[in-house]
Amino acid sequence: MLGFKKAEGSGLPVASTEAVARLQSFLDEVAHLELSDTQREWYQVEVAAMLDGSEILMHEVQPLTGAALLFMNNGVVLAEPCCRGLRQYPRHLLHLFVEDFRGTLSPDGDGLLYRVELFSISPAEEQLCWLHECREEHDIPAAQRSTARWMRWLNQA
């Protein structure tokens, strides 16, 4: 298990080498997205500063919107470059639903085959709703891999 070391004399935690590498991996991934210069700078300067010393266990990025979900020990952080918003959700308020519509019709009749949703119990305007929606069979394994990662994270002691 990775942890933090105490900085000499400061009493503040310092991220482990592995944690710094995961933060850099996240920043590298968002740097390659098709974002505006302002949004890219927000991630590279503002978000990086706000996450300094925090340990990211894993992350997911939505390439179309540039939004990112950062998994940490006690919750997730949602970063949204469109509105320069950063929100943290405690682990105990998160739920995971998986719906498999293969062999049946999705309720909306929109061709949806598979949906995975990680969401929070929060006021409507503050809710987390991170989705993988698959309309093609070949997209389902990636959604299932995310489900497995989320499930492991949610069930950590």
Side-chain angles (χ1 to χ4, degrees), residues 45-107:
V45 176
E46 304 297 330
V47 172
M50 289 184 274
L51 294 174
D52 186 34
S54 295
E55 185 170 2
I56 298 171
L57 302 174
M58 61 184 177
H59 70 272
E60 290 199 9
V61 175
Q62 290 182 342
L64 294 177
T65 65
L69 194 61
L70 309 169
F71 292 79
M72 300 186 170
N73 285 324
N74 295 314
V76 297
V77 171
L78 175 64
E80 297 177 292
C82 63
C83 60
R84 298 171 59 105
L86 201 68
R87 295 180 182 187
Q88 183 170 4
Y89 298 90
R91 183 192 305 246
H92 70 279
L93 292 181
L94 298 176
H95 298 276
L96 174 65
F97 284 0
V98 178
E99 297 173 291
D100 190 343
F101 302 111
R102 292 174 289 180
T104 63
L105 291 176
S106 65

